[in-house]
Amino acid sequence: MAMAALRREGRRFAPLVSSPNPINAIRSTLAPAEEQMGLGVRSISTQVVRNRMKSVRNIQKITKAMKMVAASKLRAIQVRAENSRGLWQPFTALLGDTPSVNVKKNVIVTISSDKGLCGGINSTSVKISRALHKINSGPDTECKYVILGEKGKAQLIRDSKKDIELIMTELQKNFLNYTQVSVLADDILKNVEFDALRIVFNKFQSVVSFLPTTATVLSPEIVERESEAGGKIGDLDSYEIEGGETKSEVLQNLAEFQFSCVMFNAVLENACSEQGARMSAMDSSSRNAGDMLDRLTLTYNRTRQASITTELIEIISGASALEG
Amino acid sequence: MTLNLCVLTPNRIVWDSEVKEIILSTNSGQIGVLPNHAPIATAVDIGILRIRLNDQWLTMALMGSFARIGNNEITVLVNDAEKSSDIDPQEAQQTLEIAEAALRKAEGKRQTIEANLALRRARTRVEAINAIS
């Protein structure tokens, strides 16, 4: 019975020896290791496969942990993002959001994350910013960038270096709050001349869906021009403006306040999208690591059984040679 | 005919329900808003917002920004707002004294302006508590 089993094993092993393709497949992945052991060694050491399994397992643990961290951060920041949504809606109702407005000086504010491993959200933001830049630069219009976040800076600085006005990074180091963002908005308003500000960010729809969005904030002069011309912002004229000396002063305050509110919401939404994207990226990463681990386990078992079979065959053939 | 009032700050919605009348303090004085008011958009000063619900007045301290009054819909967007019931009288009084001391010590235009704003904010909070009693 045992001999029959061994013969069967031998027969199973024989095709492996005769058709070199399967072994070559394994060999190609572990070729460098085999060369270390010297040519002519047909079986691959289990040690090599085991090392590989260990490293893949560690990576899986790390990505699982990153996913959980991202999930808990997402919970915290999602509540704040939803609360801040109500703030800019009255502005849009009053002043309108008109991305198709025709202005001379455009400024694109790109909001991106500081850390990586968060899926494709930064690339989509940068793609949209570049597209907006192309649409809006013409013979007599100019278009500048203001970049928030390391990843956006890394991508845009390569080809649009001369168009960048301001770069700010490490926004999330301190807890994000309105005061910080309003100081940021103040900085931008002081240093950059603009007729229209287009803020590009990823809006958080759900844990798996992030919409790249652009919000347009117009400068007070353009608001006056558009409201007198009628159209979407025409409703503004029906409101009597009070408070402050002149209408333009109130409109200026209004525009500045609108900008800081919209920025605050945009930064929060982008942070939410970043955590959500990181969660799903790390999740698929863990799953891939699990798949890889399964395949490696199969390879490991096969090499282990192959080496046992080789040993057995050697012993048995040695023994039978002795018997005569 | 009731007004719908919404008071929003960047961090949360402070008030969102129907009221009978409100008194708002703007840069150019206090205005009272009753149902069917004409549409206006106005800047709100650092001051008290009084809300009337069924003959009962409620006070809130607002730290400035904007208000829009439309068809019986009032939206007030402020940097910060506190209901008078949430303000601790002792703490508000102390903040007021600290702000006054800071104003006296302030040097330079910028510090004076900031100290002034802090003083007005502290004073508003104290007034908000005193107004109900």
Side-chain angles (χ1 to χ4, degrees), chain A residues 119-139:
Chain A
I121 55 171
N122 290 321
S123 311
T124 43
S125 289
V126 168
K127 234 189 329 182
I128 296 216
S129 312
R130 287 212 183 110
L132 277 177
H133 182 92
K134 226 174 184 182
I135 295 178
N136 282 319
S137 16

PDB file of all heavy atoms in Angstrom, chain A residues 119-139:
ATOM      1  N   GLY A 119      -5.921  56.611  -2.231  1.00  0.00           N
ATOM      2  CA  GLY A 119      -6.663  56.395  -3.466  1.00  0.00           C
ATOM      3  C   GLY A 119      -6.367  57.471  -4.479  1.00  0.00           C
ATOM      4  O   GLY A 119      -5.290  58.054  -4.486  1.00  0.00           O
ATOM      5  N   GLY A 120      -7.347  57.781  -5.341  1.00  0.00           N
ATOM      6  CA  GLY A 120      -7.082  58.689  -6.446  1.00  0.00           C
ATOM      7  C   GLY A 120      -7.602  60.089  -6.254  1.00  0.00           C
ATOM      8  O   GLY A 120      -7.665  60.854  -7.214  1.00  0.00           O
ATOM      9  N   ILE A 121      -7.968  60.494  -5.039  1.00  0.00           N
ATOM     10  CA  ILE A 121      -8.662  61.777  -4.922  1.00  0.00           C
ATOM     11  C   ILE A 121      -7.757  62.951  -5.253  1.00  0.00           C
ATOM     12  O   ILE A 121      -8.198  63.945  -5.829  1.00  0.00           O
ATOM     13  CB  ILE A 121      -9.289  61.982  -3.532  1.00  0.00           C
ATOM     14  CG1 ILE A 121      -8.257  61.831  -2.427  1.00  0.00           C
ATOM     15  CG2 ILE A 121     -10.409  61.020  -3.323  1.00  0.00           C
ATOM     16  CD1 ILE A 121      -8.812  62.239  -1.099  1.00  0.00           C
ATOM     17  N   ASN A 122      -6.493  62.869  -4.892  1.00  0.00           N
ATOM     18  CA  ASN A 122      -5.623  64.000  -5.196  1.00  0.00           C
ATOM     19  C   ASN A 122      -5.399  64.143  -6.684  1.00  0.00           C
ATOM     20  O   ASN A 122      -5.362  65.252  -7.224  1.00  0.00           O
ATOM     21  CB  ASN A 122      -4.280  63.835  -4.490  1.00  0.00           C
ATOM     22  CG  ASN A 122      -4.427  64.005  -3.004  1.00  0.00           C
ATOM     23  OD1 ASN A 122      -5.179  64.846  -2.560  1.00  0.00           O
ATOM     24  ND2 ASN A 122      -3.720  63.194  -2.250  1.00  0.00           N
ATOM     25  N   SER A 123      -5.281  62.992  -7.371  1.00  0.00           N
ATOM     26  CA  SER A 123      -5.077  63.086  -8.817  1.00  0.00           C
ATOM     27  C   SER A 123      -6.287  63.687  -9.500  1.00  0.00           C
ATOM     28  O   SER A 123      -6.147  64.470 -10.444  1.00  0.00           O
ATOM     29  CB  SER A 123      -4.808  61.705  -9.400  1.00  0.00           C
ATOM     30  OG  SER A 123      -3.824  61.067  -8.660  1.00  0.00           O
ATOM     31  N   THR A 124      -7.506  63.322  -9.034  1.00  0.00           N
ATOM     32  CA  THR A 124      -8.683  63.900  -9.692  1.00  0.00           C
ATOM     33  C   THR A 124      -8.757  65.398  -9.437  1.00  0.00           C
ATOM     34  O   THR A 124      -9.090  66.167 -10.344  1.00  0.00           O
ATOM     35  CB  THR A 124      -9.993  63.246  -9.204  1.00  0.00           C
ATOM     36  OG1 THR A 124      -9.937  63.097  -7.802  1.00  0.00           O
ATOM     37  CG2 THR A 124     -10.207  61.912  -9.857  1.00  0.00           C
ATOM     38  N   SER A 125      -8.417  65.827  -8.211  1.00  0.00           N
ATOM     39  CA  SER A 125      -8.452  67.271  -7.960  1.00  0.00           C
ATOM     40  C   SER A 125      -7.485  68.010  -8.874  1.00  0.00           C
ATOM     41  O   SER A 125      -7.827  69.050  -9.451  1.00  0.00           O
ATOM     42  CB  SER A 125      -8.068  67.580  -6.508  1.00  0.00           C
ATOM     43  OG  SER A 125      -9.075  67.186  -5.650  1.00  0.00           O
ATOM     44  N   VAL A 126      -6.288  67.447  -9.011  1.00  0.00           N
ATOM     45  CA  VAL A 126      -5.286  68.126  -9.833  1.00  0.00           C
ATOM     46  C   VAL A 126      -5.704  68.123 -11.299  1.00  0.00           C
ATOM     47  O   VAL A 126      -5.525  69.118 -12.015  1.00  0.00           O
ATOM     48  CB  VAL A 126      -3.921  67.433  -9.636  1.00  0.00           C
ATOM     49  CG1 VAL A 126      -2.940  67.905 -10.663  1.00  0.00           C
ATOM     50  CG2 VAL A 126      -3.395  67.730  -8.268  1.00  0.00           C
ATOM     51  N   LYS A 127      -6.315  67.005 -11.735  1.00  0.00           N
ATOM     52  CA  LYS A 127      -6.775  66.946 -13.133  1.00  0.00           C
ATOM     53  C   LYS A 127      -7.793  68.031 -13.414  1.00  0.00           C
ATOM     54  O   LYS A 127      -7.744  68.716 -14.447  1.00  0.00           O
ATOM     55  CB  LYS A 127      -7.422  65.568 -13.372  1.00  0.00           C
ATOM     56  CG  LYS A 127      -6.832  64.841 -14.534  1.00  0.00           C
ATOM     57  CD  LYS A 127      -7.548  63.587 -14.946  1.00  0.00           C
ATOM     58  CE  LYS A 127      -8.232  62.806 -13.871  1.00  0.00           C
ATOM     59  NZ  LYS A 127      -8.843  61.589 -14.402  1.00  0.00           N
ATOM     60  N   ILE A 128      -8.739  68.179 -12.464  1.00  0.00           N
ATOM     61  CA  ILE A 128      -9.784  69.193 -12.660  1.00  0.00           C
ATOM     62  C   ILE A 128      -9.188  70.589 -12.622  1.00  0.00           C
ATOM     63  O   ILE A 128      -9.583  71.458 -13.404  1.00  0.00           O
ATOM     64  CB  ILE A 128     -10.861  69.025 -11.600  1.00  0.00           C
ATOM     65  CG1 ILE A 128     -11.517  67.702 -11.786  1.00  0.00           C
ATOM     66  CG2 ILE A 128     -11.842  70.142 -11.659  1.00  0.00           C
ATOM     67  CD1 ILE A 128     -12.948  67.669 -11.511  1.00  0.00           C
ATOM     68  N   SER A 129      -8.231  70.803 -11.718  1.00  0.00           N
ATOM     69  CA  SER A 129      -7.624  72.136 -11.665  1.00  0.00           C
ATOM     70  C   SER A 129      -6.937  72.459 -12.973  1.00  0.00           C
ATOM     71  O   SER A 129      -7.042  73.581 -13.489  1.00  0.00           O
ATOM     72  CB  SER A 129      -6.585  72.214 -10.544  1.00  0.00           C
ATOM     73  OG  SER A 129      -7.100  71.698  -9.379  1.00  0.00           O
ATOM     74  N   ARG A 130      -6.244  71.460 -13.527  1.00  0.00           N
ATOM     75  CA  ARG A 130      -5.540  71.712 -14.789  1.00  0.00           C
ATOM     76  C   ARG A 130      -6.541  72.008 -15.896  1.00  0.00           C
ATOM     77  O   ARG A 130      -6.306  72.887 -16.744  1.00  0.00           O
ATOM     78  CB  ARG A 130      -4.695  70.489 -15.174  1.00  0.00           C
ATOM     79  CG  ARG A 130      -3.479  70.327 -14.338  1.00  0.00           C
ATOM     80  CD  ARG A 130      -2.351  69.705 -15.109  1.00  0.00           C
ATOM     81  NE  ARG A 130      -1.220  69.517 -14.233  1.00  0.00           N
ATOM     82  CZ  ARG A 130      -0.781  68.338 -13.823  1.00  0.00           C
ATOM     83  NH1 ARG A 130      -1.390  67.241 -14.212  1.00  0.00           N
ATOM     84  NH2 ARG A 130       0.269  68.257 -13.024  1.00  0.00           N
ATOM     85  N   ALA A 131      -7.660  71.256 -15.883  1.00  0.00           N
ATOM     86  CA  ALA A 131      -8.671  71.483 -16.925  1.00  0.00           C
ATOM     87  C   ALA A 131      -9.265  72.879 -16.809  1.00  0.00           C
ATOM     88  O   ALA A 131      -9.430  73.588 -17.811  1.00  0.00           O
ATOM     89  CB  ALA A 131      -9.770  70.433 -16.802  1.00  0.00           C
ATOM     90  N   LEU A 132      -9.548  73.311 -15.564  1.00  0.00           N
ATOM     91  CA  LEU A 132     -10.094  74.648 -15.365  1.00  0.00           C
ATOM     92  C   LEU A 132      -9.105  75.704 -15.844  1.00  0.00           C
ATOM     93  O   LEU A 132      -9.472  76.720 -16.435  1.00  0.00           O
ATOM     94  CB  LEU A 132     -10.391  74.887 -13.887  1.00  0.00           C
ATOM     95  CG  LEU A 132     -11.724  74.363 -13.378  1.00  0.00           C
ATOM     96  CD1 LEU A 132     -11.820  74.625 -11.901  1.00  0.00           C
ATOM     97  CD2 LEU A 132     -12.864  75.032 -14.083  1.00  0.00           C
ATOM     98  N   HIS A 133      -7.839  75.430 -15.555  1.00  0.00           N
ATOM     99  CA  HIS A 133      -6.798  76.367 -15.967  1.00  0.00           C
ATOM    100  C   HIS A 133      -6.792  76.511 -17.465  1.00  0.00           C
ATOM    101  O   HIS A 133      -6.716  77.619 -18.013  1.00  0.00           O
ATOM    102  CB  HIS A 133      -5.447  75.841 -15.460  1.00  0.00           C
ATOM    103  CG  HIS A 133      -4.304  76.724 -15.764  1.00  0.00           C
ATOM    104  ND1 HIS A 133      -3.872  77.700 -14.902  1.00  0.00           N
ATOM    105  CD2 HIS A 133      -3.502  76.812 -16.844  1.00  0.00           C
ATOM    106  CE1 HIS A 133      -2.844  78.329 -15.424  1.00  0.00           C
ATOM    107  NE2 HIS A 133      -2.587  77.810 -16.604  1.00  0.00           N
ATOM    108  N   LYS A 134      -6.917  75.374 -18.158  1.00  0.00           N
ATOM    109  CA  LYS A 134      -6.901  75.417 -19.622  1.00  0.00           C
ATOM    110  C   LYS A 134      -8.109  76.157 -20.169  1.00  0.00           C
ATOM    111  O   LYS A 134      -7.995  76.944 -21.106  1.00  0.00           O
ATOM    112  CB  LYS A 134      -6.910  73.976 -20.141  1.00  0.00           C
ATOM    113  CG  LYS A 134      -5.932  73.755 -21.217  1.00  0.00           C
ATOM    114  CD  LYS A 134      -5.873  72.306 -21.587  1.00  0.00           C
ATOM    115  CE  LYS A 134      -4.776  72.134 -22.613  1.00  0.00           C
ATOM    116  NZ  LYS A 134      -4.694  70.771 -23.045  1.00  0.00           N
ATOM    117  N   ILE A 135      -9.277  75.895 -19.561  1.00  0.00           N
ATOM    118  CA  ILE A 135     -10.492  76.548 -20.047  1.00  0.00           C
ATOM    119  C   ILE A 135     -10.384  78.051 -19.867  1.00  0.00           C
ATOM    120  O   ILE A 135     -10.825  78.833 -20.698  1.00  0.00           O
ATOM    121  CB  ILE A 135     -11.726  76.034 -19.280  1.00  0.00           C
ATOM    122  CG1 ILE A 135     -11.956  74.572 -19.565  1.00  0.00           C
ATOM    123  CG2 ILE A 135     -12.946  76.816 -19.667  1.00  0.00           C
ATOM    124  CD1 ILE A 135     -13.118  74.016 -18.806  1.00  0.00           C
ATOM    125  N   ASN A 136      -9.794  78.441 -18.721  1.00  0.00           N
ATOM    126  CA  ASN A 136      -9.874  79.848 -18.378  1.00  0.00           C
ATOM    127  C   ASN A 136      -8.693  80.679 -18.803  1.00  0.00           C
ATOM    128  O   ASN A 136      -8.672  81.876 -18.572  1.00  0.00           O
ATOM    129  CB  ASN A 136     -10.027  79.999 -16.866  1.00  0.00           C
ATOM    130  CG  ASN A 136     -11.443  79.708 -16.453  1.00  0.00           C
ATOM    131  OD1 ASN A 136     -12.349  80.114 -17.129  1.00  0.00           O
ATOM    132  ND2 ASN A 136     -11.594  78.985 -15.367  1.00  0.00           N
ATOM    133  N   SER A 137      -7.659  80.073 -19.377  1.00  0.00           N
ATOM    134  CA  SER A 137      -6.574  80.950 -19.814  1.00  0.00           C
ATOM    135  C   SER A 137      -6.747  81.234 -21.281  1.00  0.00           C
ATOM    136  O   SER A 137      -6.880  80.347 -22.097  1.00  0.00           O
ATOM    137  CB  SER A 137      -5.213  80.337 -19.544  1.00  0.00           C
ATOM    138  OG  SER A 137      -5.301  79.003 -19.299  1.00  0.00           O
ATOM    139  N   GLY A 138      -6.771  82.505 -21.589  1.00  0.00           N
ATOM    140  CA  GLY A 138      -6.933  82.903 -22.988  1.00  0.00           C
ATOM    141  C   GLY A 138      -6.051  84.102 -23.217  1.00  0.00           C
ATOM    142  O   GLY A 138      -5.135  84.359 -22.434  1.00  0.00           O
ATOM    143  N   PRO A 139      -6.292  84.835 -24.263  1.00  0.00           N
ATOM    144  CA  PRO A 139      -5.421  85.978 -24.595  1.00  0.00           C
ATOM    145  C   PRO A 139      -5.455  87.069 -23.536  1.00  0.00           C
ATOM    146  O   PRO A 139      -4.426  87.621 -23.184  1.00  0.00           O
ATOM    147  CB  PRO A 139      -5.983  86.488 -25.916  1.00  0.00           C
ATOM    148  CG  PRO A 139      -7.317  85.866 -26.065  1.00  0.00           C
ATOM    149  CD  PRO A 139      -7.299  84.595 -25.295  1.00  0.00           C
TER     150      PRO A 139
END
